[in-house]
């Protein structure tokens, strides 16, 4: 029996760059997803810690307070069912061991294309 594809998701977007966060929010809202925004890793983690429910997390790598590695590692320890997508200007030139150890499900390089974001979200809509 096939899993039902969700029509929309609640997505936590964590990025310290207001322009990137706003762009991601607008892309996702256009597709009728609910978007929760956090300007740093610590506030994103705090939202989840307080019981905030999300289907997927899109997080930047380089941020103040808690970086994307720390965010992903914490989510995978505390809420392992939530997929974590790392969006980074470092591209795919990341330490594979660190990626594996942090539990990141997918990496999208900056600058990203709108279709990369949408395809990634749609992929996780089918998996969920």
């Amino acid at each position: 029996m096939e899993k039902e594809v969700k029509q929309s998701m609640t997505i936590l977007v964590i990025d310290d760059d207001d322009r990137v966060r706003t762009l991601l929010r607008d892309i996702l809202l256009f597709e009728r997803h609910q978007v929760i925004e956090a300007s740093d890793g610590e506030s994103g983690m705090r939202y989840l810690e307080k019981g905030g429910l999300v289907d997927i997390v899109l997080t930047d790598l380089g941020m103040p307070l808690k970086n994307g590695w720390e965010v992903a590692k914490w989510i995978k320890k505390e809420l392992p069912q939530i997929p974590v997508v790392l969006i980074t200007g470092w591209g795919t030139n990341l330490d594979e061991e660190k990626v594996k150890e942090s539990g990141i499900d997918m990496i999208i390089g900056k600058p990203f294309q709108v279709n990369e974001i949408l395809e990634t979200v749609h992929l996780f809509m089918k998996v969920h």
Side-chain angles (χ1 to χ4, degrees), residues 57-103:
V57 174
L58 305 180
T59 184
D60 186 22
L61 175 56
M63 298 180 289
L65 305 178
K66 298 283 184 189
N67 64 35
W69 298 123
E70 295 167 304
V71 169
K73 205 170 195 177
W74 181 85
I75 290 171
K76 290 305 180 174
K77 180 177 180 249
E78 301 296 325
L79 304 159
Q81 74 281 8
I82 298 176
V84 178
V85 177
L86 187 69
I87 301 177
T88 177
W90 296 91
T92 53
N93 299 328
L94 299 172
D95 180 342
E96 284 185 40
E97 196 56 43
K98 201 160 188 173
V99 171
K100 192 175 182 179
E101 160 188 309
S102 65

Side-chain angles (χ1 to χ4, degrees), residues 1-9 55 121-128:
M1 191 163 160
E2 280 189 46
K3 279 192 169 191
E4 185 180 323
V5 176
K6 293 184 100 172
Q7 295 303 307
S8 72
M9 298 178 84
D55 296 301
V121 169
H122 290 153
L123 172 73
F124 286 106
M125 286 172 77
K126 292 177 186 169
V127 172
H128 244 266

Side-chain angles (χ1 to χ4, degrees), residues 15-25 37 39:
D15 200 306
D16 61 323
D17 185 327
D18 293 342
R19 294 166 303 173
V20 173
R21 204 172 55 252
T22 299
L23 176 59
L24 286 167
R25 180 199 64 210
E37 296 178 67
S39 59

